[in-house]
Every structure is written in C-alpha cells, then in structure tokens.
Tab-separated table of all heavy atoms in Angstrom:
chain	number	residue	atom	x	y	z
A	257	MET	N	81.260	71.802	167.985
A	257	MET	CA	81.964	71.284	166.749
A	257	MET	C	81.903	69.862	166.566
A	257	MET	O	82.034	69.098	167.661
A	257	MET	CB	83.434	71.806	166.934
A	257	MET	CG	84.301	71.406	165.685
A	257	MET	SD	86.062	71.788	166.067
A	257	MET	CE	86.450	70.472	167.136
A	258	ARG	N	81.619	69.312	165.453
A	258	ARG	CA	81.638	67.797	165.253
A	258	ARG	C	82.305	67.642	163.926
A	258	ARG	O	82.182	68.359	162.989
A	258	ARG	CB	80.234	67.408	165.273
A	258	ARG	CG	79.302	67.921	164.385
A	258	ARG	CD	77.919	67.330	164.467
A	258	ARG	NE	77.040	67.983	163.601
A	258	ARG	CZ	76.820	67.709	162.292
A	258	ARG	NH1	77.680	66.755	161.634
A	258	ARG	NH2	76.025	68.400	161.524
A	259	GLU	N	83.002	66.442	163.851
A	259	GLU	CA	83.598	66.017	162.591
A	259	GLU	C	82.546	65.601	161.576
A	259	GLU	O	81.430	64.966	161.898
A	259	GLU	CB	84.454	64.862	162.872
A	259	GLU	CG	85.150	64.341	161.580
A	259	GLU	CD	86.136	63.118	162.019
A	259	GLU	OE1	86.069	62.687	163.132
A	259	GLU	OE2	86.686	62.646	161.053
A	260	LEU	N	82.689	66.042	160.249
A	260	LEU	CA	81.884	65.690	159.227
A	260	LEU	C	82.483	64.299	158.635
A	260	LEU	O	83.145	64.353	157.747
A	260	LEU	CB	81.775	66.725	158.182
A	260	LEU	CG	81.102	68.043	158.632
A	260	LEU	CD1	81.183	69.132	157.533
A	260	LEU	CD2	79.719	67.790	159.085
A	261	VAL	N	82.040	63.187	159.227
A	261	VAL	CA	82.649	61.895	158.828
A	261	VAL	C	82.491	61.557	157.345
A	261	VAL	O	83.195	60.880	156.699
A	261	VAL	CB	82.177	60.792	159.685
A	261	VAL	CG1	82.705	60.983	161.193
A	261	VAL	CG2	80.694	60.674	159.684
A	262	ASP	N	81.481	62.122	156.648
A	262	ASP	CA	81.118	61.797	155.377
A	262	ASP	C	81.508	62.969	154.489
A	262	ASP	O	81.310	62.984	153.287
A	262	ASP	CB	79.683	61.611	155.167
A	262	ASP	CG	79.206	60.187	155.801
A	262	ASP	OD1	80.007	59.379	155.894
A	262	ASP	OD2	78.124	60.188	156.292
A	263	GLY	N	82.236	63.948	155.068
A	263	GLY	CA	82.787	65.046	154.233
A	263	GLY	C	81.780	66.218	154.248
A	263	GLY	O	80.683	66.132	154.711
A	264	LEU	N	82.167	67.349	153.511
A	264	LEU	CA	81.310	68.446	153.409
A	264	LEU	C	80.541	68.386	152.085
A	264	LEU	O	81.243	68.397	151.000
A	264	LEU	CB	82.178	69.706	153.533
A	264	LEU	CG	81.493	71.137	153.350
A	264	LEU	CD1	80.495	71.254	154.447
A	264	LEU	CD2	82.568	72.151	153.294
A	265	PRO	N	79.207	68.297	152.032
A	265	PRO	CA	78.561	68.346	150.884
A	265	PRO	C	78.821	69.590	150.076
A	265	PRO	O	78.893	70.802	150.550
A	265	PRO	CB	76.991	68.316	151.224
A	265	PRO	CG	76.955	67.796	152.576
A	265	PRO	CD	78.330	68.368	153.199
A	266	LEU	N	79.220	69.372	148.660
A	266	LEU	CA	79.478	70.512	147.801
A	266	LEU	C	78.946	70.064	146.461
A	266	LEU	O	79.607	69.703	145.471
A	266	LEU	CB	81.051	70.665	147.717
A	266	LEU	CG	81.545	71.849	146.994
A	266	LEU	CD1	81.053	73.160	147.466
A	266	LEU	CD2	83.115	71.766	146.993
A	267	PRO	N	77.588	70.352	146.306
A	267	PRO	CA	77.025	70.031	144.974
A	267	PRO	C	77.551	70.785	143.852
A	267	PRO	O	77.954	72.008	144.150
A	267	PRO	CB	75.451	70.402	145.303
A	267	PRO	CG	75.224	70.353	146.710
A	267	PRO	CD	76.643	70.765	147.328
A	268	ALA	N	77.494	70.346	142.664
A	268	ALA	CA	78.047	71.116	141.522
A	268	ALA	C	77.425	72.476	141.448
A	268	ALA	O	76.291	72.589	141.694
A	268	ALA	CB	77.793	70.183	140.283
A	269	GLY	N	78.279	73.436	141.124
A	269	GLY	CA	77.774	74.791	140.888
A	269	GLY	C	77.773	75.536	142.210
A	269	GLY	O	77.224	76.757	142.142
A	270	THR	N	78.023	74.968	143.304
A	270	THR	CA	77.868	75.773	144.638
A	270	THR	C	79.319	75.977	145.124
A	270	THR	O	80.338	75.372	144.715
A	270	THR	CB	77.091	74.878	145.619
A	270	THR	OG1	77.787	73.684	146.021
A	270	THR	CG2	75.763	74.557	145.110
A	271	THR	N	79.434	76.735	146.173
A	271	THR	CA	80.739	77.030	146.752
A	271	THR	C	80.514	76.656	148.260
A	271	THR	O	79.428	76.716	148.698
A	271	THR	CB	81.109	78.483	146.649
A	271	THR	OG1	80.157	79.307	147.201
A	271	THR	CG2	81.264	78.904	145.155
A	272	ALA	N	81.590	76.537	148.905
A	272	ALA	CA	81.584	76.297	150.460
A	272	ALA	C	82.806	77.184	150.914
A	272	ALA	O	83.942	77.295	150.342
A	272	ALA	CB	81.839	74.805	150.769
A	273	GLU	N	82.438	77.957	152.020
A	273	GLU	CA	83.394	78.790	152.546
A	273	GLU	C	83.953	78.143	153.899
A	273	GLU	O	82.968	77.781	154.834
A	273	GLU	CB	82.916	80.125	152.894
A	273	GLU	CG	83.882	81.200	153.471
A	273	GLU	CD	83.288	82.535	153.676
A	273	GLU	OE1	82.080	82.653	153.554
A	273	GLU	OE2	84.105	83.395	153.974
A	274	LEU	N	85.122	78.013	154.080
A	274	LEU	CA	85.643	77.400	155.327
A	274	LEU	C	86.224	78.601	156.167
A	274	LEU	O	87.015	79.353	155.646
A	274	LEU	CB	86.747	76.319	155.017
A	274	LEU	CG	86.404	75.236	154.126
A	274	LEU	CD1	87.558	74.402	153.906
A	274	LEU	CD2	85.253	74.410	154.658
A	275	LYS	N	85.799	78.714	157.424
A	275	LYS	CA	86.189	79.853	158.264
A	275	LYS	C	85.900	79.576	159.658
A	275	LYS	O	85.149	78.748	159.990
A	275	LYS	CB	85.489	81.164	157.800
A	275	LYS	CG	83.947	80.985	158.116
A	275	LYS	CD	83.235	82.236	157.508
A	275	LYS	CE	81.728	82.125	157.772
A	275	LYS	NZ	81.088	83.296	157.290
A	276	PRO	N	86.591	80.232	160.625
A	276	PRO	CA	86.357	80.096	162.058
A	276	PRO	C	84.847	80.395	162.371
A	276	PRO	O	84.307	81.367	161.775
A	276	PRO	CB	87.204	81.103	162.706
A	276	PRO	CG	88.346	81.319	161.758
A	276	PRO	CD	87.691	81.281	160.400
A	277	GLY	N	84.247	79.587	163.259
A	277	GLY	CA	82.898	79.724	163.561
A	277	GLY	C	81.866	79.010	162.597
A	277	GLY	O	80.689	78.957	162.810
A	278	GLY	N	82.365	78.604	161.451
A	278	GLY	CA	81.651	77.848	160.479
A	278	GLY	C	82.381	76.649	160.163
A	278	GLY	O	83.176	76.104	160.964
A	279	HIS	N	81.999	76.058	159.005
A	279	HIS	CA	82.753	74.842	158.645
A	279	HIS	C	84.280	75.185	158.501
A	279	HIS	O	84.630	76.240	157.962
A	279	HIS	CB	82.324	74.367	157.218
A	279	HIS	CG	80.885	73.681	157.191
A	279	HIS	ND1	80.542	72.609	158.033
A	279	HIS	CD2	79.765	74.163	156.679
A	279	HIS	CE1	79.368	72.337	157.945
A	279	HIS	NE2	78.805	73.250	157.085
A	280	HIS	N	85.141	74.276	158.945
A	280	HIS	CA	86.642	74.516	158.915
A	280	HIS	C	87.392	73.254	158.863
A	280	HIS	O	86.806	72.304	159.191
A	280	HIS	CB	86.982	75.505	160.059
A	280	HIS	CG	86.733	74.897	161.463
A	280	HIS	ND1	85.431	75.034	162.039
A	280	HIS	CD2	87.385	74.175	162.191
A	280	HIS	CE1	85.491	74.414	163.131
A	280	HIS	NE2	86.622	73.829	163.341
A	281	LEU	N	88.590	73.429	158.396
A	281	LEU	CA	89.498	72.335	158.496
A	281	LEU	C	90.208	72.317	159.910
A	281	LEU	O	90.521	73.487	160.428
A	281	LEU	CB	90.574	72.355	157.399
A	281	LEU	CG	89.999	72.265	155.967
A	281	LEU	CD1	91.082	72.529	155.049
A	281	LEU	CD2	89.340	70.959	155.721
A	282	MET	N	90.615	71.144	160.542
A	282	MET	CA	91.130	71.319	161.770
A	282	MET	C	92.090	70.037	161.824
A	282	MET	O	91.742	68.941	161.543
A	282	MET	CB	90.040	71.061	162.796
A	282	MET	CG	90.567	71.125	164.249
A	282	MET	SD	89.160	71.259	165.319
A	282	MET	CE	89.926	71.061	166.919
A	283	PHE	N	93.398	70.348	162.078
A	283	PHE	CA	94.298	69.261	162.353
A	283	PHE	C	94.092	68.725	163.802
A	283	PHE	O	94.257	69.401	164.754
A	283	PHE	CB	95.793	69.732	162.185
A	283	PHE	CG	95.990	70.131	160.719
A	283	PHE	CD1	96.104	71.523	160.419
A	283	PHE	CD2	96.358	69.177	159.762
A	283	PHE	CE1	96.316	71.842	159.037
A	283	PHE	CE2	96.623	69.597	158.569
A	283	PHE	CZ	96.585	70.849	158.129
A	284	ILE	N	93.975	67.400	163.908
A	284	ILE	CA	93.605	66.865	165.242
A	284	ILE	C	94.829	65.878	165.487
A	284	ILE	O	95.157	65.046	164.743
A	284	ILE	CB	92.319	65.981	165.222
A	284	ILE	CG1	91.158	66.868	164.897
A	284	ILE	CG2	92.154	65.223	166.469
A	284	ILE	CD1	89.799	66.175	164.715
A	285	GLN	N	95.493	66.160	166.630
A	285	GLN	CA	96.649	65.507	167.047
A	285	GLN	C	97.726	65.398	165.967
A	285	GLN	O	98.135	64.421	165.474
A	285	GLN	CB	96.332	63.981	167.423
A	285	GLN	CG	95.314	63.949	168.634
A	285	GLN	CD	95.020	62.506	169.144
A	285	GLN	OE1	95.148	61.527	168.232
A	285	GLN	NE2	94.680	62.362	170.433
A	286	PRO	N	98.159	66.581	165.576
A	286	PRO	CA	99.292	66.586	164.641
A	286	PRO	C	100.519	65.935	165.063
A	286	PRO	O	100.738	65.811	166.273
A	286	PRO	CB	99.514	68.200	164.366
A	286	PRO	CG	98.956	68.764	165.589
A	286	PRO	CD	97.866	67.994	166.118
A	287	THR	N	101.221	65.325	164.239
A	287	THR	CA	102.401	64.529	164.581
A	287	THR	C	103.662	65.338	164.677
A	287	THR	O	104.701	64.832	165.027
A	287	THR	CB	102.651	63.389	163.487
A	287	THR	OG1	102.760	64.045	162.191
A	287	THR	CG2	101.507	62.462	163.348
A	288	ARG	N	103.612	66.645	164.460
A	288	ARG	CA	104.718	67.502	164.710
A	288	ARG	C	104.171	68.850	165.088
A	288	ARG	O	102.995	69.254	164.818
A	288	ARG	CB	105.567	67.595	163.435
A	288	ARG	CG	104.891	68.232	162.281
A	288	ARG	CD	105.897	68.418	161.133
A	288	ARG	NE	105.356	68.957	159.928
A	288	ARG	CZ	105.103	70.268	159.628
A	288	ARG	NH1	105.483	71.146	160.612
A	288	ARG	NH2	104.613	70.677	158.544
A	289	ALA	N	105.053	69.661	165.691
A	289	ALA	CA	104.712	71.061	166.127
A	289	ALA	C	104.459	71.887	164.834
A	289	ALA	O	104.930	71.613	163.762
A	289	ALA	CB	105.842	71.619	166.903
A	290	LEU	N	103.554	72.895	165.033
A	290	LEU	CA	103.174	73.722	163.852
A	290	LEU	C	103.563	75.205	164.282
A	290	LEU	O	102.638	75.826	164.646
A	290	LEU	CB	101.731	73.525	163.455
A	290	LEU	CG	101.159	72.071	163.124
A	290	LEU	CD1	99.766	72.072	162.944
A	290	LEU	CD2	101.962	71.592	161.901
A	291	PRO	N	104.806	75.421	164.140
A	291	PRO	CA	105.178	76.909	164.645
A	291	PRO	C	104.620	77.902	163.712
A	291	PRO	O	104.585	77.817	162.547
A	291	PRO	CB	106.710	76.830	164.599
A	291	PRO	CG	107.038	75.822	163.678
A	291	PRO	CD	105.924	74.735	163.717
A	292	ALA	N	104.173	79.004	164.384
A	292	ALA	CA	103.609	80.209	163.616
A	292	ALA	C	104.668	80.604	162.584
A	292	ALA	O	105.856	80.653	162.864
A	292	ALA	CB	103.223	81.344	164.461
A	293	GLY	N	104.162	81.049	161.432
A	293	GLY	CA	105.137	81.385	160.392
A	293	GLY	C	105.485	80.315	159.510
A	293	GLY	O	106.112	80.585	158.418
A	294	GLY	N	105.210	78.982	159.907
A	294	GLY	CA	105.605	77.910	159.073
A	294	GLY	C	104.475	77.610	157.985
A	294	GLY	O	103.451	78.308	157.951
A	295	GLN	N	104.600	76.563	157.347
A	295	GLN	CA	103.663	76.101	156.367
A	295	GLN	C	103.344	74.660	156.640
A	295	GLN	O	104.134	73.825	157.168
A	295	GLN	CB	104.167	76.364	154.961
A	295	GLN	CG	104.239	77.754	154.612
A	295	GLN	CD	104.757	77.936	153.080
A	295	GLN	OE1	105.418	77.117	152.596
A	295	GLN	NE2	104.343	79.040	152.549
A	296	VAL	N	102.084	74.261	156.170
A	296	VAL	CA	101.763	72.800	156.188
A	296	VAL	C	101.240	72.402	154.844
A	296	VAL	O	100.425	72.963	154.306
A	296	VAL	CB	100.655	72.619	157.345
A	296	VAL	CG1	100.144	71.100	157.328
A	296	VAL	CG2	101.113	72.955	158.629
A	297	ASP	N	101.817	71.331	154.391
A	297	ASP	CA	101.352	70.771	153.163
A	297	ASP	C	100.267	69.797	153.414
A	297	ASP	O	100.290	69.072	154.382
A	297	ASP	CB	102.472	69.993	152.453
A	297	ASP	CG	103.675	70.940	151.918
A	297	ASP	OD1	103.364	72.005	151.485
A	297	ASP	OD2	104.809	70.591	152.165
A	298	ALA	N	99.153	69.944	152.646
A	298	ALA	CA	98.012	68.979	152.851
A	298	ALA	C	97.372	68.644	151.513
A	298	ALA	O	97.840	69.307	150.452
A	298	ALA	CB	97.019	69.631	153.762
A	299	THR	N	96.497	67.794	151.519
A	299	THR	CA	95.806	67.367	150.276
A	299	THR	C	94.332	67.495	150.581
A	299	THR	O	93.833	66.725	151.543
A	299	THR	CB	96.226	66.004	149.862
A	299	THR	OG1	97.743	66.013	149.680
A	299	THR	CG2	95.515	65.654	148.593
A	300	LEU	N	93.473	68.100	149.871
A	300	LEU	CA	92.120	68.094	149.824
A	300	LEU	C	91.653	67.088	149.025
A	300	LEU	O	92.103	66.809	147.796
A	300	LEU	CB	91.479	69.489	149.380
A	300	LEU	CG	91.887	70.705	150.246
A	300	LEU	CD1	91.362	71.905	149.578
A	300	LEU	CD2	91.639	70.535	151.704
A	301	VAL	N	90.664	66.187	149.434
A	301	VAL	CA	90.219	65.063	148.634
A	301	VAL	C	88.745	65.391	148.293
A	301	VAL	O	87.857	65.452	149.117
A	301	VAL	CB	90.440	63.734	149.329
A	301	VAL	CG1	89.842	62.649	148.465
A	301	VAL	CG2	91.813	63.519	149.808
A	302	PHE	N	88.486	65.416	146.948
A	302	PHE	CA	87.175	65.562	146.522
A	302	PHE	C	86.647	64.244	145.874
A	302	PHE	O	87.288	63.511	145.235
A	302	PHE	CB	86.994	66.690	145.423
A	302	PHE	CG	87.561	67.937	145.948
A	302	PHE	CD1	88.827	68.364	145.964
A	302	PHE	CD2	86.553	68.957	146.486
A	302	PHE	CE1	89.217	69.657	146.365
A	302	PHE	CE2	86.929	70.164	146.940
A	302	PHE	CZ	88.297	70.539	146.945
A	303	GLU	N	85.305	64.047	146.144
A	303	GLU	CA	84.625	62.745	145.767
A	303	GLU	C	84.897	62.455	144.224
A	303	GLU	O	85.165	61.500	143.648
A	303	GLU	CB	83.255	62.692	146.215
A	303	GLU	CG	82.577	61.327	145.840
A	303	GLU	CD	81.105	61.308	146.258
A	303	GLU	OE1	80.317	62.019	145.660
A	303	GLU	OE2	80.953	60.779	147.345
A	304	ARG	N	84.541	63.607	143.408
A	304	ARG	CA	84.649	63.438	141.978
A	304	ARG	C	85.799	64.167	141.260
A	304	ARG	O	86.253	63.771	140.239
A	304	ARG	CB	83.284	63.961	141.327
A	304	ARG	CG	82.118	63.050	141.810
A	304	ARG	CD	81.010	63.487	141.109
A	304	ARG	NE	79.789	62.584	141.506
A	304	ARG	CZ	78.493	62.825	141.257
A	304	ARG	NH1	78.197	63.821	140.494
A	304	ARG	NH2	77.644	62.059	141.719
A	305	ALA	N	86.298	65.155	141.918
A	305	ALA	CA	87.438	65.964	141.279
A	305	ALA	C	88.786	65.547	141.698
A	305	ALA	O	89.756	66.030	141.295
A	305	ALA	CB	87.238	67.431	141.795
A	306	GLY	N	88.760	64.491	142.597
A	306	GLY	CA	90.133	63.959	142.980
A	306	GLY	C	90.848	64.679	144.002
A	306	GLY	O	90.219	65.385	144.876
A	307	ARG	N	92.170	64.726	143.997
A	307	ARG	CA	92.919	65.270	145.118
A	307	ARG	C	93.581	66.550	144.696
A	307	ARG	O	93.981	66.582	143.587
A	307	ARG	CB	94.109	64.170	145.490
A	307	ARG	CG	93.462	62.825	145.925
A	307	ARG	CD	94.592	61.773	145.872
A	307	ARG	NE	95.463	62.019	147.088
A	307	ARG	CZ	95.196	61.413	148.355
A	307	ARG	NH1	94.154	60.879	148.519
A	307	ARG	NH2	96.072	61.790	149.282
A	308	MET	N	93.671	67.514	145.607
A	308	MET	CA	94.169	68.756	145.288
A	308	MET	C	95.134	69.226	146.341
A	308	MET	O	94.781	69.288	147.562
A	308	MET	CB	93.010	69.882	145.187
A	308	MET	CG	93.602	71.282	144.974
A	308	MET	SD	92.345	72.524	144.963
A	308	MET	CE	91.559	72.070	143.412
A	309	PRO	N	96.521	69.296	146.060
A	309	PRO	CA	97.504	69.717	147.061
A	309	PRO	C	97.353	71.080	147.492
A	309	PRO	O	96.938	72.007	146.590
A	309	PRO	CB	98.874	69.490	146.425
A	309	PRO	CG	98.519	69.478	144.986
A	309	PRO	CD	97.111	68.990	144.785
A	310	VAL	N	97.402	71.478	148.715
A	310	VAL	CA	97.223	72.849	149.171
A	310	VAL	C	98.413	73.060	150.107
A	310	VAL	O	98.925	72.113	150.706
A	310	VAL	CB	95.866	73.105	149.848
A	310	VAL	CG1	94.887	73.077	148.880
A	310	VAL	CG2	95.738	72.137	151.028
A	311	VAL	N	98.643	74.373	150.490
A	311	VAL	CA	99.687	74.746	151.489
A	311	VAL	C	99.035	75.715	152.402
A	311	VAL	O	98.493	76.658	151.912
A	311	VAL	CB	100.938	75.352	150.877
A	311	VAL	CG1	101.914	75.825	151.933
A	311	VAL	CG2	101.641	74.352	149.883
A	312	PHE	N	99.015	75.331	153.731
A	312	PHE	CA	98.429	76.243	154.655
A	312	PHE	C	99.511	77.057	155.291
A	312	PHE	O	100.571	76.459	155.744
A	312	PHE	CB	97.730	75.554	155.715
A	312	PHE	CG	96.437	74.814	155.125
A	312	PHE	CD1	96.443	73.453	155.027
A	312	PHE	CD2	95.264	75.484	154.887
A	312	PHE	CE1	95.422	72.801	154.503
A	312	PHE	CE2	94.153	74.790	154.359
A	312	PHE	CZ	94.170	73.494	154.216
A	313	GLU	N	99.258	78.460	155.524
A	313	GLU	CA	100.114	79.154	156.416
A	313	GLU	C	99.758	78.984	157.852
A	313	GLU	O	98.610	78.830	158.219
A	313	GLU	CB	99.904	80.667	156.183
A	313	GLU	CG	100.390	81.020	154.840
A	313	GLU	CD	100.011	82.542	154.542
A	313	GLU	OE1	99.865	83.354	155.551
A	313	GLU	OE2	99.982	83.009	153.438
A	314	VAL	N	100.881	78.766	158.759
A	314	VAL	CA	100.534	78.593	160.293
A	314	VAL	C	100.684	80.090	160.810
A	314	VAL	O	101.608	80.683	160.771
A	314	VAL	CB	101.549	77.688	160.871
A	314	VAL	CG1	101.184	77.564	162.345
A	314	VAL	CG2	101.488	76.308	160.266
A	315	ARG	N	99.422	80.469	161.420
A	315	ARG	CA	99.390	81.678	162.105
A	315	ARG	C	99.274	81.589	163.613
A	315	ARG	O	98.873	80.576	164.047
A	315	ARG	CB	98.074	82.520	161.647
A	315	ARG	CG	98.113	82.799	160.088
A	315	ARG	CD	96.886	83.543	159.712
A	315	ARG	NE	96.880	83.727	158.219
A	315	ARG	CZ	95.793	84.227	157.585
A	315	ARG	NH1	94.719	84.525	158.386
A	315	ARG	NH2	95.789	84.420	156.329
A	316	PRO	N	99.790	82.623	164.326
A	316	PRO	CA	99.706	82.512	165.775
A	316	PRO	C	98.251	82.499	166.275
A	316	PRO	O	97.383	83.029	165.564
A	316	PRO	CB	100.498	83.718	166.236
A	316	PRO	CG	100.510	84.574	165.087
A	316	PRO	CD	100.525	83.816	163.940
A	317	LEU	N	97.968	81.862	167.427
A	317	LEU	CA	96.686	81.899	167.921
A	317	LEU	C	96.427	83.358	168.241
A	317	LEU	O	97.243	84.141	168.622
A	317	LEU	CB	96.685	81.152	169.362
A	317	LEU	CG	96.689	79.634	169.094
A	317	LEU	CD1	96.680	79.110	170.496
A	317	LEU	CD2	95.538	79.174	168.371
A	318	GLY	N	95.215	83.852	167.961
A	318	GLY	CA	94.945	85.202	168.207
A	318	GLY	C	94.976	86.014	166.953
A	318	GLY	O	94.472	87.202	166.903
A	319	ALA	N	95.592	85.498	165.937
A	319	ALA	CA	95.634	86.227	164.605
A	319	ALA	C	94.336	86.350	164.003
A	319	ALA	O	93.380	85.509	164.230
A	319	ALA	CB	96.727	85.528	163.693
A	320	ALA	N	94.181	87.253	163.166
A	320	ALA	CA	92.992	87.407	162.488
A	320	ALA	C	92.523	86.112	161.848
A	320	ALA	O	93.358	85.440	161.114
A	320	ALA	CB	92.919	88.564	161.408
A	321	GLY	N	91.382	85.708	161.991
A	321	GLY	CA	90.840	84.436	161.429
A	321	GLY	C	91.191	83.124	162.231
A	321	GLY	O	90.738	82.104	162.066
A	322	ALA	N	92.090	83.291	163.234
A	322	ALA	CA	92.294	82.058	164.052
A	322	ALA	C	91.531	82.143	165.355
A	322	ALA	O	91.414	83.194	166.014
A	322	ALA	CB	93.901	82.136	164.414
A	323	ARG	N	90.934	81.103	165.721
A	323	ARG	CA	90.207	81.015	166.934
A	323	ARG	C	90.389	79.690	167.509
A	323	ARG	O	89.917	78.696	167.013
A	323	ARG	CB	88.728	81.189	166.566
A	323	ARG	CG	87.779	81.271	167.851
A	323	ARG	CD	86.354	81.362	167.615
A	323	ARG	NE	86.057	82.520	166.646
A	323	ARG	CZ	84.910	82.659	166.055
A	323	ARG	NH1	83.962	81.764	166.255
A	323	ARG	NH2	84.680	83.636	165.304
A	324	PRO	N	91.057	79.545	168.729
A	324	PRO	CA	91.222	78.246	169.390
A	324	PRO	C	89.928	77.713	169.976
A	324	PRO	O	89.162	78.488	170.339
A	324	PRO	CB	92.227	78.584	170.484
A	324	PRO	CG	92.014	79.854	170.723
A	324	PRO	CD	91.584	80.661	169.587
A	325	HIS	N	89.693	76.516	169.737
A	325	HIS	CA	88.559	75.813	170.317
A	325	HIS	C	88.858	74.302	170.490
A	325	HIS	O	89.784	73.871	169.886
A	325	HIS	CB	87.319	76.041	169.494
A	325	HIS	CG	87.488	75.489	167.967
A	325	HIS	ND1	88.067	76.118	166.971
A	325	HIS	CD2	87.182	74.290	167.523
A	325	HIS	CE1	88.085	75.409	165.983
A	325	HIS	NE2	87.574	74.233	166.361
A	326	TYR	N	88.070	73.594	171.267
A	326	TYR	CA	88.316	72.323	171.536
A	326	TYR	C	87.106	71.470	171.477
A	326	TYR	O	85.934	71.905	171.545
A	326	TYR	CB	88.890	72.162	173.000
A	326	TYR	CG	90.191	72.966	173.042
A	326	TYR	CD1	90.118	74.210	173.647
A	326	TYR	CD2	91.276	72.523	172.611
A	326	TYR	CE1	91.265	75.046	173.772
A	326	TYR	CE2	92.450	73.275	172.614
A	326	TYR	CZ	92.432	74.518	173.224
A	326	TYR	OH	93.646	75.297	173.269
B	682	CU	CU1	87.513	72.529	164.778
C-alpha cells in the first residue's frame, strides 16, 4: 500500500472504484476513536469538480468489505 500523493487519476467520463485490496481511502492517525456503528464526516476534493461532503459508516474489523492492513 502506498499513498497517492498526487491523488487518484479520474479522467472525464471514467469511474473509479474504491474497495479493500484496490484503491481505497484510509484514515491515518485519526484524532479520535472511530467506534463501530458510528459515522465519520469527510470531504472528497476533486481537482475540477470541487469539494463533496460525504459520510462514512464505521464498521467493525472483519465486517464485509473491511480488511485491516498496515
Ligand atoms: Cu490503506
């Protein structure tokens, strides 16, 4: 796993899927606990489309789609 310091390329007319084992979002050193069942407000930033607020559900480790890695 490595950080995409320049972001994820997303040319016009294409899609990108974020999922475990592929490109994904990852909170590094969160400033508060993220208990399962909670939610996290975040903002996706697009080079040309601007900012898009999103809400993530916090799932327990081992839940479908969750895969711990370091
Ligand atoms: Cu990761």
